[in-house]
């Protein structure tokens, strides 16, 4: 959905030269962003935080497990901005994207809180897998979860993707990140 949103944004102002695929791809991107927010994030039971799930049917808070590399704050900001800009054309209402923007903001801020709570104090690296809990005031990250067989507490094949996803946030949204 994020790549489709970028493609749609790249050509939206091309007027008559806009590709024939634009309306379908932009509509699909909007719906994909919306569905991701609804199905692939979970609100905390103790605060307004909203964490990324590992899929529609698993992952999230506590024992449900987390993979830090699934967190992509730049992609979430892109979805937020795309939905705000396009809700009048593709949304259920002309304010749908505006109304969902705070939830996207919560996903971004929770992402950074979760990554920070799981960082190694000596290296700043994050683990492959973790359990993240919210006590209402702060997040706590502990080991003891793995979804792929990679060691939970090491910075390995899973965790290495986190660097690129955070870097994308800094490239796409330097003022916010």
């Amino acid at each position: 959905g994020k790549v489709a949103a970028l493609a749609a944004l790249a050509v939206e102002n091309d007027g008559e030269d806009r590709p024939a695929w634009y309306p379908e791809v932009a509509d699909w991107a909007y719906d994909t962003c919306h569905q991701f927010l609804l199905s692939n994030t979970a609100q905390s039971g103790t605060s307004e935080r909203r964490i990324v799930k590992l899929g529609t049917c698993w992952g999230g808070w506590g024992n449900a497990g987390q993979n830090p590399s699934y967190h992509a704050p730049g992609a979430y900001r892109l979805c937020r901005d795309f939905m705000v800009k396009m809700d009048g054309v593709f949304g259920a209402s002309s304010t749908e994207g505006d109304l969902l923007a705070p939830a996207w903001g919560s996903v971004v801020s929770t992402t950074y809180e979760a990554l920070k709570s799981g960082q190694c104090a000596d290296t700043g690296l994050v683990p492959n897998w973790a359990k993240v809990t919210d006590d209402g005031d702060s997040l706590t990250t502990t080991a003891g979860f793995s979804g792929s067989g990679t060691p939970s507490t090491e910075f390995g094949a899973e965790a290495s993707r986190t660097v690129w996803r955070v870097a994308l946030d800094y490239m796409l949204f330097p003022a916010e990140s």
Side-chain angles (χ1 to χ4, degrees):
K2 291 92 177 161
V3 172
L6 282 173
L9 289 170
V11 300
E12 75 170 313
N13 294 324
D14 288 357
E16 293 178 19
D17 295 329
R18 189 167 35 194
W21 52 259
Y22 170 79
E24 182 178 355
V25 169
D27 184 38
W28 179 83
Y30 186 93
D31 290 344
T32 300
C33 289
H34 190 195
Q35 194 60 48
F36 180 89
L37 182 64
L38 297 177
S39 300
N40 288 72
T41 67
Q43 187 162 343
S44 170
T46 58
S47 74
E48 293 298 313
R49 292 179 178 98
R50 193 169 197 86
I51 201 162
V52 174
K53 293 168 48 179
L54 302 174
T56 303
C57 298
W58 72 297
W61 295 103
N63 289 332
Q66 273 298 302
N67 181 316
S69 77
Y70 281 43
H71 294 260
Y76 311 143
R77 291 185 213 270
L78 176 65
C79 283
R80 174 202 63 201
D81 291 355
F82 187 77
M83 290 187 72
V84 167
K85 185 172 191 170
M86 301 296 194
D87 57 4
V89 179
F90 302 109
S93 74
S94 62
T95 59
E96 180 178 60
D98 303 292
L99 295 172
L100 293 173
W104 282 114
S106 178
V107 175
V108 171
S109 62
T110 302
T111 285
Y112 279 114
E113 284 185 78
L115 293 176
K116 184 174 177 147
S117 77
Q119 282 183 307
C120 171
D122 294 333
T123 64
L125 299 175
V126 295
N128 284 323
W129 296 93
K131 296 180 201 176
V132 179
T133 56
D134 180 0
D135 68 10
D137 292 321
S138 63
L139 300 185
T140 303
T141 299
T142 57
F145 180 84
S146 180
S148 68
T150 56
S152 174
T153 57
E154 82 176 25
F155 177 82
E158 301 283 348
S160 65
R161 297 185 299 233
T162 309
V163 175
W164 301 109
R165 292 185 175 164
V166 170
L168 180 65
D169 189 30
Y170 282 90
M171 288 186 288
L172 293 176
F173 298 93
E176 288 186 72
S177 56

